[in-house]
Amino acid sequence: KMQQLRNTLIMAQREGEDNPQLGHFAFVGNPGTGKTTVARSVAGVLFGMKLIARNHLVETSGLNMTGEYVGSTKKKVEGELEKAKGGILFIDEAYELGRGQFGGE
């Protein structure tokens, strides 16, 4: 994926086009296999390619982004997105998103 992104960036720069959209990355593996470390490295590479504004990674979890009362999930998600703005938002245990009484918000 990174090689493809690099090639697309090079072609866009040669042709005077906008940088490619990054989309989302999913790092899958058992606990302790280095997913967070890889995400930090990817942030550095994307920053070096000038595809993100800051070499910055915000680490959170699906449970940390789920509220305890009506309206709080949205505030938590917006807060994490704001902290990560210009960088990378890494959601550990993302499968927890949407769970719980107020996860559907």
Side-chain angles (χ1 to χ4, degrees), residues 18-32:
D18 292 336
N19 286 345
Q21 293 291 315
L22 291 177
H24 304 280
F25 293 83
F27 303 108
V28 181
N30 293 327

Side-chain angles (χ1 to χ4, degrees), residues 10 21-23 34 39 45 47-48 50-51 62-63 68 71 83 86 94 97-98:
I10 290 169
Q21 293 291 315
L22 291 177
V45 169
F47 176 73
K50 298 182 177 18
L51 290 173
L63 289 176
E68 300 85 26
K83 284 192 272 184
L97 287 169

Side-chain angles (χ1 to χ4, degrees), residues 9-38:
L9 175 63
I10 290 169
M11 290 301 296
Q13 289 173 341
R14 283 183 188 161
E15 296 176 7
E17 297 178 4
D18 292 336
N19 286 345
Q21 293 291 315
L22 291 177
H24 304 280
F25 293 83
F27 303 108
V28 181
N30 293 327
T33 57
K35 297 177 295 293
T36 305
T37 301
V38 170

Side-chain angles (χ1 to χ4, degrees), residues 5 11 14 17 20 24 26 31 38 40 44 47-49 56 64 83 86 88-89 93-94 96:
L5 183 59
M11 290 301 296
R14 283 183 188 161
E17 297 178 4
H24 304 280
V38 170
R40 287 188 188 112
F47 176 73
M49 295 170 71
H56 177 69
N64 286 344
K83 284 192 272 184
I88 302 288
L89 177 62
E93 300 174 349
E96 294 289 345

